[in-house]
């Protein structure tokens, strides 16, 4: 595929949108301005950006508890996201979902998910619907390395393979299942070996490089769309913040040195260097993009803070399909 | 101390070519089993010590678990980071330690990384990669035995090895790099996922080993004008999708492409040839360096590479020398 | 005996027959007929589950569908309950109307996350954005010596989860009307097929019709005691009511048809007339749906009650295997009669 300047810039914007929104959300959480749990995606932006840029808008994705990045990379709206994080009526879920359940069906984003691994079977269903209706779309499930120790993942992988469904499995292998290092929780190191076990191809790519992810995802997507059944792309990545929040817990499950070492491979820095070296963008124009997006982020904070909390009546609405109290 | 070095690339045979070709997945488990057979073969052949280059998957360490070879196993002090440079760093340590023979699991790319650290390493490469022009497809017990026989001086390295050619490349930024099989200029502006997938992106192939029976970009040259391991030659092929002549070449496992050929030229050892930008340079199959419009790289092929141990020939030589016959005590 | 053999009879007697000019259809056959008619009129409906296709379901209630609708719409899946429900959820969010089968109701436990945390809550968590027209069919109830993991009535667990609708047809007529309603419904429904009823036939109209979810049915009017019976217990309670009628106790029998939503108004109205309430279900008494009904009645109709509310239900043990024990375990007409008489 030809990776044009437009694609390179688009990848950058997608990553910056995730990064700046999440850094802001992290600051708000630290200053106790956001309720609930916040699982930040910072460090893993190349995966969401690379994969979403390779998809059609209508291709469905299912996400994880660390789901802001997926929705933002697919074009999610800052205002509605920030409002949802604050539990406001103007949020994506009318303030009833929060960070872990953020979704946008218009963007074919079928929801972040508070249950590890639970989005994978749902993506199987979307893939099934795509094939049955012949709409030419594929579904993508993002999941972490830890999710692949859960039964739902295995059932879904086997079913997608057995039914030969148009589905792309994206493993975001950040080496930690919450606070447990990967080697303590599984006896294999590469999750794609699990794809092989169910009879479909898997490949590993550098998940800190958006171009590598984009290219690899594009190759897989083309094959999946042409009816070759499911595939798995394992993106070796890393989260810069803790499992929850910014500072997280005080436990020593990983060293500061390790985190600092990985930050040298910051997907934004990697891509910025490439854009400048290849003459696609100057440092100034990169900064201009960041400034612009930061303004949008700032506006979203304003929007969210000025938005009302939901009325109490909202609590009983949407339990069932009609907007009537349950 | 008679020492065999052992190293495996955990990431070999796992890249995106699995999406677009019939390349198989080489799992950690299968690599561990290969390593185990190498160790047992080498010890049986008389190696007194196996020096393990740890990798970030602990493949070599897991391979010796439960073998009760504690006195004979040593790990090098080395912190793998899960990157290509791990292999290069380990090779430097092997060299410092005076290892007699190195068994290295991987494809062409892995062997190149190793040679970057120790250019004339006594090497027994075993194929666990995607494209495997350089390494051998051989039973690991046999490979371990061959390496062990050399380490224990039952065979001399000169007797059973052949020195490989190396393609030395001077990059436009002044740095130097090398390849063992091929350096290929592709019409790409990024290194991306590194593998070269599109046959019509290939602009020029410079191959030190152009074996028509092999898989990879070098097969373009191999099927145009074969050059073998022992030939004192290399070959350069200029490609263009609009050319009037073409060659069918398996650039990936199971994936035969038609590649337009403009020019085929034999290159003498020591002769320099230019690869002119723009484009990305792929070393032994992996895009690694991007050249701009007016940049060019200079490549020279020399026979100063690793001393490659042919395991089959080594075993046959040992048998002819009656090395395997031993006197029984009783 | 495999489930197949057990239900061979059910399928035989499950066909249609004309008797006295009235069209009769078996309970299991009603599932097949309804599915076929709905799938003919609505292309977005499909069935997926273990052995629902080539085999027609282990109870035969999907038999004949795959030959007509093909493997794409009558889908044999792996034995993977979580993924089966997930398949339904993902397809429902995409606008299809999946019917997914969990074979035995006991197996919902394997898929509880997908049912409780996903299907039931997605719409709410998404702020109303998603529609989830998902029907889960599953065979519940005991009486076949299928033992503790293939006989349970777990409807109360599901009723506790906001977002689900739980439907328990007591005869073939209700199978057709309620299943049609479930499939046309935009919410996840659990449609509990009673496996001991599969062979029982009754009058069922040929054309598709809907019985509204959440509306109970007065099976028999009476003035002395209100009997609320659920699922197959309607049949046993009917027998009990007839017996007691001879003894001078006139029972009003209510079949709620759906336990979530529950037509409590109908029960309140009846209790305010009779002053007595007996609730009958196959599930264990403790924490059963009867407890909820009793609680609501004391909230809403306390002043009308002339006696404590009586519950006739299974004792607090897993479903036993031995036919002798199981017969004692599941309420029958005799126990229901005794329960009603306790009130007087």
């Amino acid at each position: 595929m030809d990776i044009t300047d437009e694609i390179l810039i688009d990848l950058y914007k997608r990553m910056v949108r995730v990064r700046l929104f999440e850094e802001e959300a992290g600051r708000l959480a630290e200053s106790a301005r956001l309720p609930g749990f916040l699982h930040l995606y910072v460090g893993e932006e190349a995966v969401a950006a690379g994969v979403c840029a390779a998809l059609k808008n209508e291709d469905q994705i299912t996400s994880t508890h660390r789901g802001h990045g997926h929705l933002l990379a697919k074009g999610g709206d800052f205002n509605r996201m920030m409002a949802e994080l604050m539990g406001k009526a103007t949020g994506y879920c009318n303030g009833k979902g929060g960070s872990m359940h953020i979704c946008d069906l218009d963007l074919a984003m079928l929801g972040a998910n508070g249950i590890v691994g639970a989005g994978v079977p749902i993506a199987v269903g979307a893939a099934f619907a795509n094939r049955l209706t012949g709409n030419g779309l594929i579904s993508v499930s993002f999941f972490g390395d830890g999710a692949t120790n859960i039964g739902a993942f295995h059932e879904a992988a086997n079913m997608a393979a057995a039914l030969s469904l148009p589905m792309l499995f994206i493993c975001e292998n950040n080496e930690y299942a919450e606070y447990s290092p990967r080697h303590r929780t599984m006896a294999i190191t590469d999750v794609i070996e699990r794809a092989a076990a169910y009879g479909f191809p898997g490949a590993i790519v550098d998940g800190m490089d958006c171009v590598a992810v984009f290219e690899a995802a594009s190759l897989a997507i083309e094959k999946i769309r042409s009816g070759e059944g499911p595939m798995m792309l394992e993106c070796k990545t890393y989260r810069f913040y803790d499992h929850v929040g910014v500072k997280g817990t005080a436990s020593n499950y990983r060293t500061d040195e390790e985190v600092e070492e990985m930050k040298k491979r910051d997907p934004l820095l990697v891509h910025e260097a490439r854009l400048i070296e290849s003459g696609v963008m100057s440092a100034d124009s990169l900064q201009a993009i960041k400034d612009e997006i930061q303004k949008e982020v700032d506006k979203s904070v304003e929007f969210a803070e000025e938005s009302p909390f939901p009325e109490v009546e909202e609590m009983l609405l949407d339990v069932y399909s009609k907007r009537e109290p349950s | 101390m008679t020492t065999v070095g052992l190293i495996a690339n955990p990431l070999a045979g796992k890249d995106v070519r699995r999406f677009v070709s019939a390349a198989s997945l080489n799992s950690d488990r299968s690599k561990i089993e290969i390593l185990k057979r190498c160790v047992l073969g080498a010890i049986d052949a008389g190696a007194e010590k196996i020096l393990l280059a740890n990798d970030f998957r602990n493949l070599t360490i897991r391979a010796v678990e439960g073998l009760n070879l504690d006195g004979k196993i040593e790990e090098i002090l080395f912190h793998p980071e899960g990157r290509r440079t791990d292999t290069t760093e380990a090779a430097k340590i092997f060299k410092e330690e005076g290892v007699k023979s190195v068994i290295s699991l991987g494809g062409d790319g892995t062997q190149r990384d190793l040679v970057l650290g120790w250019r004339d390493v006594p090497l027994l490469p075993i194929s666990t990669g995607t494209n495997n022009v350089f390494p051998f497809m051989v039973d690991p017990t046999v490979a371990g035995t061959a390496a062990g026989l050399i380490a224990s001086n039952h065979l001399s390295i000169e007797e059973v090895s052949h020195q490989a050619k190396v393609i030395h490349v001077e990059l436009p930024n002044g740095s130097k790099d090398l390849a063992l099989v091929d350096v290929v200029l592709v019409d790409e502006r990024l290194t991306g996922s590194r593998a070269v997938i599109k046959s019509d992106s290939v602009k020029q192939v410079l191959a030190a080993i152009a074996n028509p029976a092999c898989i990879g970009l070098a097969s373009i040259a191999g099927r145009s004008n074969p050059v073998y391991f022992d030939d004192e030659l290399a070959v350069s092929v200029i490609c263009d999708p609009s050319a009037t002549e073409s060659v069918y070449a398996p650039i990936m496992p199971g994936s035969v492409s038609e590649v337009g050929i403009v020019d085929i030229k034999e290159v003498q050892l020591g002769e320099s040839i230019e690869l002119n930008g723009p484009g990305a340079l792929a070393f032994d199959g992996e895009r690694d360096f991007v050249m701009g419009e007016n940049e060019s790289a200079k490549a020279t092929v020399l026979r100063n590479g690793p001393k490659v141990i042919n395991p089959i020939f080594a075993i046959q030589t040992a048998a002819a020398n009656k090395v395997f016959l031993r006197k029984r005590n009783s | 005996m495999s489930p197949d053999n057990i239900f061979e009879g059910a399928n035989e007697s499950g066909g249609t027959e004309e008797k006295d000019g009235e069209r009769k259809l078996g309970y299991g056959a009603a599932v097949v007929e309804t599915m076929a008619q709905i799938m003919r009129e609505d292309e977005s409906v499909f069935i997926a589950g273990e052995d629902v296709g080539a085999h027609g379901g282990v109870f035969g209630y999907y038999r004949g569908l795959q030959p007509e609708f093909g493997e794409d719409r009558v889908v044999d899946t792996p034995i993977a309950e979580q993924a089966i429900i997930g398949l339904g959820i993902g397809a429902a969010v995409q606008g299809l109307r999946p019917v997914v089968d969990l074979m035995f109701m006991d197996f919902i436990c394997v898929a509880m996350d997908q049912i409780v945390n996903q299907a039931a809550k997605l719409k709410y968590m998404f702020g109303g954005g998603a529609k989830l027209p998902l029907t889960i069919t599953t065979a519940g109830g005991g009486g076949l010596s299928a033992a503790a993991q293939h006989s349970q009535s777990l409807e109360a667990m599901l009723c506790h989860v906001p977002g689900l609708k739980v439907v328990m047809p007591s005869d073939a007529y209700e199978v057709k009307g309620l299943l049609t309603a479930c499939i046309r419904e935009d919410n996840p429904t659990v449609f509990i097929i009673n496996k001991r009823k599969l062979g029982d036939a009754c009058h069922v109209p040929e054309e598709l019709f809907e019985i509204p979810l959440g509306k109970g049915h007065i099976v028999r009017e009476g003035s002395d005691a209100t009997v609320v019976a659920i699922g197959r217990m309607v049949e046993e309670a009917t027998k009990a009511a007839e017996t007691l009628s001879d003894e001078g106790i006139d029972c009003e029998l209510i079949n709620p048809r759906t336990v979530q939503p529950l037509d409590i108004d109908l029960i309140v109205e009846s209790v305010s007339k009779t002053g007595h309430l007996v609730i009958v279900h196959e599930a264990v008494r403790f924490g059963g749906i009867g407890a909820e009904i009793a609680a609501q009645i004391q909230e809403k109709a306390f002043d009308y009650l002339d006696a404590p509310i009586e519950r006739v239900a299974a004792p607090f043990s897993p479903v036993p295997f031995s036919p002798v024990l199981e017969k004692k375990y599941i309420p029958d007409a005799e126990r229901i009669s005794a329960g009603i008489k306790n009130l007087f």
Side-chain angles (χ1 to χ4, degrees), chain B residues 150-202:
Chain B
I150 291 164
S152 59
N153 295 323
H154 286 98
L155 288 172
S156 76
I157 184 78
E158 283 70 27
E159 196 179 5
V160 294
S161 73
H162 288 223
Q163 188 162 34
K165 290 173 274 192
V166 173
I167 308 174
H168 296 269
V169 181
E170 274 181 49
L171 296 168
N173 64 7
S175 65
K176 291 182 176 170
D177 210 328
L178 60 78
L180 296 171
V181 177
D182 54 29
V183 175
V184 176
L185 179 67
V186 287
D187 187 14
E188 296 273 7
R189 56 197 299 225
L190 300 163
T191 54
S193 60
R194 299 173 58 82
V196 177
I197 310 272
K198 276 193 316 185
S199 59
D200 60 4
S201 71
V202 176

Side-chain angles (χ1 to χ4, degrees), chain A:
Chain A
M1 76 245 44
D2 285 326
I3 301 184
T4 59
D5 286 1
E6 286 69 38
I7 291 173
L8 292 176
I9 296 166
D10 175 61
L11 286 168
Y12 182 66
K13 285 183 178 167
R14 285 178 202 252
M15 292 200 295
V16 172
R17 277 172 58 78
V18 179
R19 173 67 57 92
L20 296 183
F21 181 89
E22 286 224 305
E23 293 283 10
E24 191 65 47
R27 282 191 287 274
L28 292 169
E30 289 291 285
S31 55
R33 286 157 75 194
L34 294 187
F37 304 137
L38 190 71
H39 303 94
L40 294 174
Y41 192 71
V42 172
E44 304 184 14
E45 292 93 341
V47 182
V51 173
C52 290
L55 292 174
K56 291 184 186 171
N57 289 338
E58 300 79 15
D59 288 328
Q60 310 90 4
I61 64 171
T62 67
S63 171
T64 68
H65 56 288
R66 204 172 300 291
H68 310 156
H70 306 132
L71 179 50
L72 285 170
K74 213 165 186 293
D77 179 70
F78 281 163
N79 286 357
R80 295 181 71 193
M81 281 193 72
M82 196 59 91
E84 189 59 38
L85 296 190
M86 292 190 186
K88 297 298 182 81
T90 53
Y92 260 118
C93 316
N94 304 348
K96 294 193 289 196
S99 162
M100 272 192 284
H101 304 295
I102 216 140
C103 80
D104 188 339
L105 297 181
D106 293 335
L107 295 173
M109 195 289 195
L110 310 187
N113 210 309
I115 305 292
V116 174
V120 193
I122 296 173
V124 170
F128 179 87
N130 292 338
R131 207 208 16 218
L132 189 63
T133 56
N135 60 15
L137 300 176
I138 71 159
S139 76
V140 177
S141 186
F142 291 93
F143 53 89
D145 44 314
T148 71
N149 297 328
I150 282 176
F153 163 82
H154 293 268
E155 292 192 12
N158 180 60
M159 192 176 286
L163 303 181
S164 192
L165 297 177
M167 175 168 168
L168 176 59
F169 289 74
I170 299 288
C171 178
E172 300 178 311
N173 187 342
N174 65 19
E175 291 288 314
Y176 292 90
E178 300 198 4
Y179 305 99
S180 297
R182 194 247 321 121
H183 67 87
R184 298 279 294 276
T185 56
M186 55 175 100
I188 58 166
T189 42
D190 298 319
V191 171
I192 54 163
E193 295 192 11
R194 295 188 164 159
Y198 294 110
F200 59 95
I204 292 173
V205 75
D206 178 1
M208 306 300 273
D209 179 351
C210 61
V211 173
V213 173
F214 173 78
E215 203 176 279
S218 301
L219 291 169
I221 288 165
E222 191 187 336
K223 293 284 177 182
I224 295 166
R225 236 186 262 291
S226 72
E228 293 200 10
M231 292 187 173
M232 184 191 291
L233 181 63
E234 179 176 1
C235 305
K236 302 290 189 184
T237 185
Y238 199 80
R239 67 173 144 73
F240 292 168
Y241 295 128
D242 237 321
H243 164 60
V244 179
V246 176
K247 290 193 198 113
T249 61
S251 82
N252 293 323
Y253 69 103
R254 62 182 192 183
T255 63
D256 292 344
E257 291 73 30
E258 178 184 302
V259 178
E260 288 313 310
E261 197 56 39
M262 288 306 292
K263 280 186 178 172
K264 291 181 193 160
R265 294 173 58 196
D266 185 330
L268 266 75
L269 298 181
V270 167
H271 196 45
E272 279 170 0
R274 175 192 287 129
L275 289 170
I276 293 169
E277 271 169 35
S278 59
V280 176
M281 289 281 249
S282 66
D284 287 347
S285 39
L286 292 177
Q287 190 56 48
I289 289 177
K290 282 188 184 172
D291 292 346
E292 181 127 341
I293 292 175
Q294 185 61 49
K295 266 186 218 155
E296 283 180 51
V297 171
D298 294 344
K299 274 189 201 153
S300 76
V301 178
E302 253 172 67
F303 171 83
E305 290 196 322
E306 284 168 10
S307 288
F309 282 105
E311 301 293 333
V312 175
E313 289 73 31
E314 181 68 35
M315 181 160 62
L316 297 182
L317 301 181
D318 299 321
V319 176
Y320 294 97
S321 64
K322 290 188 187 117
R323 249 181 97 77
E324 289 167 359
S326 62

Side-chain angles (χ1 to χ4, degrees), chain C residues 263-304:
Chain C
D263 191 353
I264 195 69
D265 294 345
L266 188 66
I267 302 170
V268 168
E269 200 180 314
S270 176
V271 169
S272 61
K273 182 172 75 179
T274 63
H276 297 88
L277 176 61
V278 179
I279 307 150
V280 189
H281 54 63
E282 258 197 82
V284 293
R285 187 195 321 262
F286 189 101
I289 195 70
E292 177 64 29
I293 295 173
Q296 289 203 35
I297 290 302
Q298 67 82 21
E299 287 164 0
K300 293 172 180 167
F302 186 76
D303 292 341
Y304 294 102

Side-chain angles (χ1 to χ4, degrees), chain C residues 24-62:
Chain C
K24 289 201 165 194
L25 189 66
Y27 184 102
V31 178
V32 183
E33 179 177 286
T34 308
M35 284 308 307
Q37 288 176 331
I38 289 181
M39 289 178 79
R40 276 176 213 133
E41 71 166 33
D42 186 349
E43 281 203 342
S44 68
V45 178
F46 71 91
I47 302 170
E50 295 156 21
D51 287 324
V52 298
H55 196 69
V58 294
F59 299 114
Y61 55 67
Y62 289 128

